[in-house]
Amino acid sequence: MSPSAVETHNLTRRFGAVTAVDALTLRIEQGEVFGLLGPNGSGKTTTIRMLCGLLEPSQGSALVAGIDVAVAPEQVKQRIGYMAQKVGLYEDLTVGENLDFYAGIYGFRRATARLAEVVAFLELAERLGQLAGQLSGGWKQRLALACALIHRPALLFLDEPTAGVDPAARRRFWHTIHDLAHAGTTVLVTTHYMDEAEQCARLAMMSRGHLIALGTPAEVAAQVGGRTLEDAFVILQERDER
Amino acid sequence: MMPRFWPMFRKEFIQMRRDHLTFAMMIGIPVIQLLVFGYAIQTDVRNLPTVVLDESRTPESRDIIQAFQNTGNFRIVAHVDGRPAVDRAIARGEAQAAIVVPYEYPRDLVRGRTATLQIIVDASDPLASQSAIAAAVAVAHARDLLILTRAAGRANLPLEARVRPRYNPGLRSPNYIVPGLVGVILTMTMVLITAMAIVRERERGTLEQLIVTPITKTELMLGKITPYVGVGLLQMTAVLILGRFVFDVPLTGNILLLYGVTLIFIIASLAFGLFVSTLVRTQQQAMQASFGFMLPNILLSGFMFPRQAMPEVAQWLGLMVPLTYFLKVVRGILLKGVGLEALWREVLILAGFAVVLIVASVRRFHKTLD
């Protein structure tokens, strides 16, 4: 059996008196598109940030690509790609300059074959000279994804990647995600769109920092009597908050 | 070694060039400051507007009034009649000094009694009135000596102190201010620019993206500040060239040494900016902190006010700001033409500041969000 892409055990993060993530135990398999579903403040972003080494866990452990994040965060960073909720592009640099920069940071020389590959994969060729700040939401998101993919990460963490993106661009984005997963990349994506949650192989629902449901979309829906995923989400969340 | 330094450097350089407003400020601020400080700071106050009340109206009285005018400290703006007019002119600020020659002046002079002149000075600004007071006393003394020497039947004075003002024989303020201004401008812009550059990345969310990459803290920080080293050297060059051609400030010493020491000072200032960026969260806080740092530098370093005149505590505090040492070096090289043999202590201390500040900010900077 191949090792899991992500394995957390009682992962907990407190900010002062507030517990943002509460004893989360998860296992994400390699090449899986895994959805993290939950309302704002349920601990999705905090979870992703802990898995990326951006926040230290208060308790518990997380193995990413088989490496303990708390012990060797820099080794984890070599193997992951990350897209934050607020896309971290340099808006005063062109598309090409943003790509060059991240390629350099990940140790690639400029204008390598890899850069051309990523540009082709995300169809950015015609926009290389445009300032990133002048791109639409959908194109910004593609550029950010390109920057996160340059070093061929085994895992991709996407924190609400489609917020503020029009429906056509969202559909296109999900095609890309599935392409990546077919090629063996593990994708962890947070969302609160139900149609996006349906596209995940498995998903975890979170409420107030802890897990309220885990499984394939069909399994989660079945937990509350086979209704839609949205119904399941509302019912489970209400049950949790009671 | 440090393979990710160059991409960081290149990126920072492109951003700096593209941000026209900041770039214009980096070059504009030094030029404007130089002109403002160079023209405005004149600690030797001359040409004080003066009214004259000449009650005697004799050749003797006109002679002594001319002597006052010749000092250059008094600029006669009006002749008035009566004491009330003198008081009014000074109270209204039309004049800051008045020369009153009493009716008895020529008579007392001839009869060998003490002839009195009255000099009234508006001393509400002590700095402005001081040199006028000193000049007035000097005029009277010179006259006294002349009269006494003649009375004693001597052709010359029994004693004379020959003062030789070295390094700035004309006692010109710009010679003193302009070299110091190099340090003030660098302190101001270097600290502010770096503090803002890091905080801006944090505010825009690019820092979060950056710290999930394998870039090391040192690569990130050095790549970020190095482009501004060039800006600092450019600023100094601009100030020195303008100082030379607009204010006639001499460039006496070893210019290469000056660039070397300035490089150290720039690195120390940039490192302090980095340190500030690890303490604050927003660009506004970064700006406030930088200005808060600049004020003690300007006031305590001896840029404007001589350190010797400060109370001991202030002198002691002044030893804790880098500008104090840089001013000594830059004035030493430019005005006195001295080299490392006289300035090595200051240079070492500046290097110490740079090292300590870089280490402190690298240690305080964490590649996490909390």
Side-chain angles (χ1 to χ4, degrees), chain B residues 98-232:
Chain B
I99 303 167
V100 180
V101 187
Y103 184 71
E104 311 80 36
Y105 174 77
R107 198 188 58 205
D108 287 345
L109 213 53
V110 175
R111 290 190 186 165
R113 268 189 249 159
T114 304
T116 359
L117 295 161
Q118 205 173 21
I119 312 299
I120 300 158
V121 177
D122 174 1
S124 50
D125 180 350
L127 210 58
S129 53
Q130 250 164 26
S131 49
I133 292 170
V137 173
V139 167
H141 278 180
R143 260 321 137 95
D144 281 343
L145 286 172
L146 196 66
I147 295 165
L148 289 174
T149 314
R150 263 188 219 145
R154 293 182 61 125
N156 45 22
L157 292 172
L159 178 98
E160 191 189 347
R162 289 198 179 151
V163 181
R164 293 271 179 276
R166 291 279 281 275
Y167 308 129
N168 184 5
L171 300 177
R172 299 176 61 242
S173 296
N175 287 12
Y176 190 65
I177 294 293
V178 170
L181 207 54
V182 172
V184 170
I185 288 168
L186 289 178
T187 302
M188 191 159 148
T189 48
M190 294 293 103
V191 173
L192 187 65
I193 286 170
T194 32
M196 298 278 276
I198 294 242
V199 175
R200 193 159 47 220
E201 290 227 16
R202 189 177 288 141
E203 278 188 356
R204 292 187 185 165
T206 47
L207 195 66
E208 183 173 344
Q209 197 65 51
L210 211 47
I211 58 188
V212 292
T213 71
I215 193 169
T216 65
K217 290 196 284 186
T218 318
E219 286 167 335
L220 197 162
M221 297 192 133
L222 289 185
K224 203 121 186 103
I225 66 174
T226 313
Y228 300 108
V229 171
V231 173

Side-chain angles (χ1 to χ4, degrees), chain A residues 38-40 44-45 48 83-87 158-164 189-192 196:
Chain A
N40 292 328
K44 302 182 306 265
T45 297
I48 281 204
M83 249 179 84
Q85 213 167 342
K86 193 180 161 199
V87 169
L158 308 173
D159 194 3
E160 295 195 9
T162 54
V189 56
T190 73
T191 182
H192 45 225
E196 290 186 1

Side-chain angles (χ1 to χ4, degrees), chain B residues 23-284:
Chain B
F23 200 66
M25 245 170 52
M26 287 188 293
I27 300 304
I29 284 180
V31 172
I32 292 169
Q33 281 203 338
L34 177 76
L35 296 178
V36 169
F37 276 99
Y39 280 118
I41 297 191
Q42 296 284 350
T43 44
D44 45 335
V45 181
R46 306 183 70 82
N47 295 321
L48 218 55
T50 305
V51 292
V52 173
L53 169 56
D54 184 358
E55 289 176 345
S56 82
R57 295 173 195 272
T58 54
E60 288 85 348
S61 70
R62 280 193 286 276
D63 177 47
I64 194 75
I65 290 165
Q66 186 60 48
F68 273 96
Q69 214 171 349
N70 288 347
T71 63
N73 289 72
F74 303 94
R75 180 169 53 90
I76 293 167
V77 291
H79 285 261
V80 296
D81 289 313
R83 298 287 176 138
V86 168
D87 291 340
R88 231 182 1 255
I90 289 189
R92 285 185 186 163
E94 290 155 9
Q96 279 173 284
I99 303 167
V100 180
V101 187
Y103 184 71
E104 311 80 36
Y105 174 77
R107 198 188 58 205
D108 287 345
L109 213 53
V110 175
R111 290 190 186 165
R113 268 189 249 159
T114 304
T116 359
L117 295 161
Q118 205 173 21
I119 312 299
I120 300 158
V121 177
D122 174 1
S124 50
D125 180 350
L127 210 58
S129 53
Q130 250 164 26
S131 49
I133 292 170
V137 173
V139 167
H141 278 180
R143 260 321 137 95
D144 281 343
L145 286 172
L146 196 66
I147 295 165
L148 289 174
T149 314
R150 263 188 219 145
R154 293 182 61 125
N156 45 22
L157 292 172
L159 178 98
E160 191 189 347
R162 289 198 179 151
V163 181
R164 293 271 179 276
R166 291 279 281 275
Y167 308 129
N168 184 5
L171 300 177
R172 299 176 61 242
S173 296
N175 287 12
Y176 190 65
I177 294 293
V178 170
L181 207 54
V182 172
V184 170
I185 288 168
L186 289 178
T187 302
M188 191 159 148
T189 48
M190 294 293 103
V191 173
L192 187 65
I193 286 170
T194 32
M196 298 278 276
I198 294 242
V199 175
R200 193 159 47 220
E201 290 227 16
R202 189 177 288 141
E203 278 188 356
R204 292 187 185 165
T206 47
L207 195 66
E208 183 173 344
Q209 197 65 51
L210 211 47
I211 58 188
V212 292
T213 71
I215 193 169
T216 65
K217 290 196 284 186
T218 318
E219 286 167 335
L220 197 162
M221 297 192 133
L222 289 185
K224 203 121 186 103
I225 66 174
T226 313
Y228 300 108
V229 171
V231 173
L233 292 175
L234 208 67
Q235 287 182 327
M236 178 176 84
T237 309
V239 171
L240 290 185
I241 289 177
L242 278 177
R244 178 74 192 77
F245 291 105
V246 179
F247 296 105
D248 270 333
V249 176
L251 307 177
T252 309
N254 182 346
I255 298 294
L256 214 61
L257 175 66
L258 180 65
Y259 272 91
V261 181
T262 306
L263 191 65
I264 298 176
F265 181 67
I266 288 174
I267 293 171
S269 303
L270 291 172
F272 188 79
L274 276 183
F275 187 70
V276 168
S277 77
T278 66
L279 297 174
V280 301
R281 292 273 127 191
T282 63
Q283 293 194 58
Q284 199 172 2

Side-chain angles (χ1 to χ4, degrees), chain A residues 125-136:
Chain A
E126 279 166 31
R127 310 204 169 239
L128 287 176
Q130 205 173 335
L131 284 181
Q134 292 167 353
L135 296 175
S136 69

Side-chain angles (χ1 to χ4, degrees), chain A residues 180-209:
Chain A
L180 285 167
H182 283 307
T185 309
T186 309
V187 182
L188 173 62
V189 56
T190 73
T191 182
H192 45 225
Y193 293 117
M194 291 305 146
D195 59 324
E196 290 186 1
E198 301 271 10
Q199 304 210 34
C200 298
R202 285 196 308 142
L203 48 91
M205 278 191 186
M206 288 182 78
S207 172
R208 300 183 302 133

Side-chain angles (χ1 to χ4, degrees), chain A residues 39 206-207 212 232-242:
Chain A
M206 288 182 78
S207 172
I212 52 173
F233 182 55
V234 172
I235 293 166
L236 288 168
Q237 197 196 332
E238 275 175 355
R239 205 179 280 167
D240 177 67
E241 285 174 358
R242 209 174 299 142

Side-chain angles (χ1 to χ4, degrees), chain A residues 16-47:
Chain A
V18 181
T19 304
V21 175
D22 191 5
L24 187 70
T25 301
L26 269 185
R27 188 188 275 267
I28 301 172
E29 302 309 328
Q30 281 183 11
E32 189 171 37
V33 177
F34 191 93
L36 211 50
L37 200 60
N40 292 328
S42 59
K44 302 182 306 265
T45 297
T46 306
T47 303

